[in-house]
């Protein structure tokens, strides 16, 4: 797929229920309406200024770095206008080296942050987004008074240039926020959709690397991408579009097939308002029952399902009138609702038997909020803003709409090319794929199925053992997005150690808090799971074995 592809132009303006999607920014976490659409041509990039000459010594001095930081404001680099630069001096113990934060923008609504450390290690780290994006995942955390309270470990500890963007829309400006802005009938709205689909990633990458060169006179030696949820989608997009630009990629909590995942979301949304729909209370109670039945399958009763593939809890026992069901009619399930829950846990198939999505594992919130995300991706595929509405979603038909989603999302550049991803892996580049074991938003089982398909393609390309280039991990018991923080799972050290030192990851550690208790659990290479050894603190990863 080429960068110049653009989304089809929306046929009409719709003042519809677009606020539905706006609530989903934090996730992070129509039949063929393309006839007659006019593609938006790619804007010509503004010329980049010549990079300043490198310092006479091998590394520029602190004063030279400060000077560069101040001089960049107003420059246009790789088509991005630098709007602000801020100098942060070293502040132990948060960060031992000073750095420059460079903010830039590219029309219509793409905002980018690049953070350049004085002690640059030659690494470049690009961070993906989440949900419908709209905000920059900044490397710098401040309190209400503007005091820095945390700095991303890749910047503070790894000496990497850090890059992130808002994905091409602004959540805090209603007229510029996705998904509503995509359907406003303007060229700006169309470009915002294209930016979200893929283009923002390339613009951010080219800008970030050029900014690094402006400071140090050279491009990065090693480049990495990391993301979860939509950031995981971003990660696979860069593997297939810009494989030569990245040495290592970490992709979490996505499925490598957005057409299938969107079909599952819309199929569930089509039940809204029908007797088969589940309430939040019912989904919560069903998960609690599954947790009670499956908690100890990993050897420890610790309020998480550490061995999801062994959990075969049948929701049929929750049907009203059954011995194990609640006597509260608002909690127990009707026969139709039992069928809905079973459908979430089963493979979603076309009438010809083809699998569209491998069923979910047990998670808290199955079916909730799926219509908002499904509607957004259906719009990207079709250009039909009616998909934002419950009325249109209620008419979803898997056997026809799946093909619209598959072709439309590929045409928009928002979905995945497993052959291209396999080529990235087969070339020797490194890819860590991972998922939360109890993700109730994107199916961990479908992610593993598609990852397995991709590795099979890599083998056909001559990669004898895909395990030498890509591995799949499960964060035990985690709901959507758990383990995405580098403070929870050190994905940075894992991918850098693999790329730079040949240390292939086999087991990592998930550090989290549960019920006020600090815990750690192994993150095992799937299909292994963390088995409690039977003695010692069940809250400590050291007392588990990947089995």
């Amino acid at each position: 797929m080429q960068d110049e592809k653009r989304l089809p132009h929306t046929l009409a303006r719709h003042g519809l229920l677009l606020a539905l999607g706006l609530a989903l920014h934090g996730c992070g976490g129509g039949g063929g309406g393309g006839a007659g659409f006019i593609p938006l041509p790619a804007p010509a990039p503004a010329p980049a200024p010549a990079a300043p000459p490198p310092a006479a010594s091998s590394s520029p001095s602190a004063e030279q770095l400060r000077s560069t930081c101040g001089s960049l404001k107003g420059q246009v680099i790789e088509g991005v206008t630098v709007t602000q630069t801020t100098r942060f001096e070293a502040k132990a113990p948060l960060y031992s080296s000073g750095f420059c934060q460079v903010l830039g923008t590219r029309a219509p609504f793409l905002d980018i942050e690049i953070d350049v450390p004085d002690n640059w290690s030659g690494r470049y780290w690009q961070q993906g987004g989440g949900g419908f994006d709209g905000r920059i995942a900044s490397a710098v955390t401040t309190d209400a008074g503007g005091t820095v309270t945390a700095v991303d470990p890749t910047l503070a500890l790894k000496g990497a240039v850090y890059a992130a963007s808002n994905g091409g829309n602004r959540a805090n400006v209603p007229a510029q926020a996705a998904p509503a802005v995509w359907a406003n009938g303007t060229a700006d709205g169309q470009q915002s959709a294209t930016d979200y689909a893929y283009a923002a990633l390339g613009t951010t990458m080219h800008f970030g690397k050029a900014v690094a060169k402006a400071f140090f006179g050279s491009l990065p030696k090693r480049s990495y991408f990391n993301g979860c949820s939509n950031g995981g989608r971003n990660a696979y997009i860069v593997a297939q579009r810009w494989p030569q630009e990245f040495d290592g990629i970490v992709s979490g909590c996505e499925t490598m097939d957005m057409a299938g995942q969107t079909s599952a979301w819309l199929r569930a949304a089509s039940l809204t308002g029908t007797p088969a729909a589940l309430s939040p209370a019912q989904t919560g109670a069903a998960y609690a029952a599954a947790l009670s039945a499956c908690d100890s399958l990993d050897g420890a009763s610790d309020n998480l399902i550490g061995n999801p593939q062994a959990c075969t809890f049948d929701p049929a026992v929750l049907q009203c009138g059954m011995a194990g069901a609640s006597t509260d009619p608002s909690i127990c399930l009707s026969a139709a609702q039992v069928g809905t829950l079973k459908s979430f846990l089963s493979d979603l198939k076309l009438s010809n038997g083809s699998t569209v999505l491998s069923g979910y594992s047990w998670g808290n919130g199955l079916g909730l909020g799926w219509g908002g995300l499904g509607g957004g991706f259906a719009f990207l595929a079709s250009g039909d803003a009616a998909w934002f509405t419950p009325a249109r979603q209620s008419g979803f038909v898997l056997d026809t709409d799946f093909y619209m989603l598959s072709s439309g999302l590929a045409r928009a550049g928002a979905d995945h090319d497993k052959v291209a991803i396999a080529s990235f892996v087969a070339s020797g580049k490194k890819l860590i794929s991972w998922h939360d074991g109890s993700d109730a938003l994107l199916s961990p089982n479908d992610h593993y199925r598609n990852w397995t398909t991709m590795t099979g393609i890599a083998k056909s390309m001559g990669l004898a053992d895909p395990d030498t280039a890509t591995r799949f991990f499960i964060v035990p018991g985690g709901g959507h997005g758990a383990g995405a923080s580098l403070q929870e799972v050190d994905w940075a050290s894992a991918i850098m150690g693999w790329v730079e030192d040949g240390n292939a990851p086999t087991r990592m550690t998930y550090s989290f808090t549960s019920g006020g208790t600090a815990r750690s659990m192994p993150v095992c290479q799937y299909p292994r799971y963390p088995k409690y050894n039977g003695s010692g603190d069940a809250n400590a990863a050291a007392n588990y074995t990947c089995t």
Side-chain angles (χ1 to χ4, degrees), residues 79-321:
V80 178
T81 301
V82 177
T83 56
Q84 180 180 326
T85 60
T86 303
R87 174 71 192 178
F88 293 84
E89 299 299 341
K91 182 182 178 181
L94 291 180
Y95 49 98
S96 60
S97 171
F99 64 94
C100 178
Q101 183 176 90
V102 179
L103 301 182
T105 189
R106 192 265 285 144
F109 314 124
L110 176 60
D111 298 324
I112 301 172
E113 173 185 317
I114 310 296
D115 300 276
V116 183
D118 294 353
N119 63 339
W120 188 39
S121 60
R123 299 180 176 117
Y124 172 83
W125 182 271
Q126 190 165 330
Q127 180 63 43
F132 288 133
D133 291 343
R135 298 179 178 88
I136 294 173
S138 178
V140 182
T141 303
T142 60
D143 61 19
T147 300
V148 176
T149 58
V151 173
D152 191 271
T154 58
L155 177 65
L157 302 179
K158 305 296 187 182
V161 167
Y162 179 95
S165 83
N166 68 351
N169 71 91
R170 296 169 178 147
N172 61 340
V173 183
Q176 300 174 9
V181 66
W182 302 339
N184 67 8
T186 69
D188 282 355
Q190 181 181 345
Q191 181 60 52
S192 177
T194 300
D195 282 338
Y196 177 82
Y198 70 91
L201 300 168
T203 301
T204 300
M205 175 195 69
H206 292 303
F207 177 59
K209 292 190 174 188
V211 167
K213 188 173 182 180
F215 278 86
F216 296 100
S218 62
L219 293 171
K221 296 181 177 65
R222 297 289 189 183
S223 296
Y224 303 93
F225 195 101
N226 173 63
C228 164
S229 191
N230 189 54
R233 185 185 69 86
N234 296 159
Y236 286 137
I237 292 290
V238 301
Q240 65 198 49
R241 283 186 172 272
W242 300 282
Q244 73 282 0
E245 295 285 352
F246 291 93
D247 302 286
I249 291 173
V250 180
S251 177
C253 15
E254 208 247 6
T255 66
M256 211 185 291
D257 183 353
M258 285 307 302
Q261 183 60 72
T262 302
S263 295
W265 287 336
L266 290 174
R267 187 266 168 188
S270 72
L271 303 176
T272 302
T274 73
L278 295 158
S279 71
Q282 288 173 318
T283 58
Y287 173 71
L291 176 61
S292 177
C294 299
D295 187 350
S296 61
L297 292 175
D298 61 356
S301 296
D302 53 0
N303 205 39
L304 60 79
I305 300 175
N307 185 6
Q309 63 265 42
C311 182
T312 57
F313 177 71
D314 187 348
V317 302
L318 305 178
Q319 186 170 330
C320 300

Side-chain angles (χ1 to χ4, degrees), residues 235-236 239-240 249 251 254-257 416-434 446-472 498:
Y236 286 137
Q240 65 198 49
I249 291 173
S251 177
E254 208 247 6
T255 66
M256 211 185 291
D257 183 353
H416 302 304
D417 180 347
K418 295 183 188 66
V419 173
I421 298 170
S423 180
F424 174 86
V425 170
S427 73
K429 303 292 184 77
K430 307 305 181 186
L431 170 66
I432 294 175
S433 297
W434 66 273
D446 200 53
H447 193 178
Y448 184 66
R449 178 178 69 92
N450 287 307
W451 177 86
T452 301
T453 298
M454 182 276 295
T455 60
I457 297 171
K459 289 183 69 174
S460 73
M461 294 176 171
L463 183 63
D465 182 6
D467 200 54
T468 61
T470 182
R471 298 186 176 195
F472 193 96
W498 199 1

